[in-house]
Amino acid sequence: MSGVDLLDTVALTVDRPEHGLLTGLVGTVVETLAQGVFEVELCDDQGRPYASMVVPGAQLITLRFSPARTA
């Protein structure tokens, strides 16, 4: 997936059972490790981190909080 940038809010699009994580969990991109590979930190609803992991961009969707601008 392209279009993932540093500090983007993202969600997992696949389960990561090796980490006990399910599709849909929300995190923040905290580092770009290589083209299309990111370190994502997942936090609870109080902002406490509970996981940090390397995720390929193909397993992420960027969440948006406002509509795209039109020309």
Side-chain angles (χ1 to χ4, degrees):
M1 169 180 198
S2 61
V4 177
D5 294 313
L6 187 64
L7 301 180
D8 275 353
T9 302
V10 295
L12 297 176
T13 61
V14 297
D15 290 346
R16 297 291 300 262
E18 69 277 18
H19 298 286
L21 303 173
L22 300 174
T23 299
L25 288 173
V26 176
T28 302
V29 175
V30 294
E31 190 71 45
T32 300
L33 301 174
Q35 185 173 347
V37 181
F38 307 93
E39 182 175 350
V40 176
E41 183 176 83
L42 296 111
C43 296
D44 65 16
D45 59 0
Q46 300 297 310
R48 293 179 296 247
Y50 60 85
S52 181
M53 57 193 286
V54 175
V55 184
Q59 295 181 0
L60 298 171
I61 185 170
T62 303
L63 303 179
R64 312 247 183 247
F65 298 97
S66 60
R69 290 185 167 179
T70 58

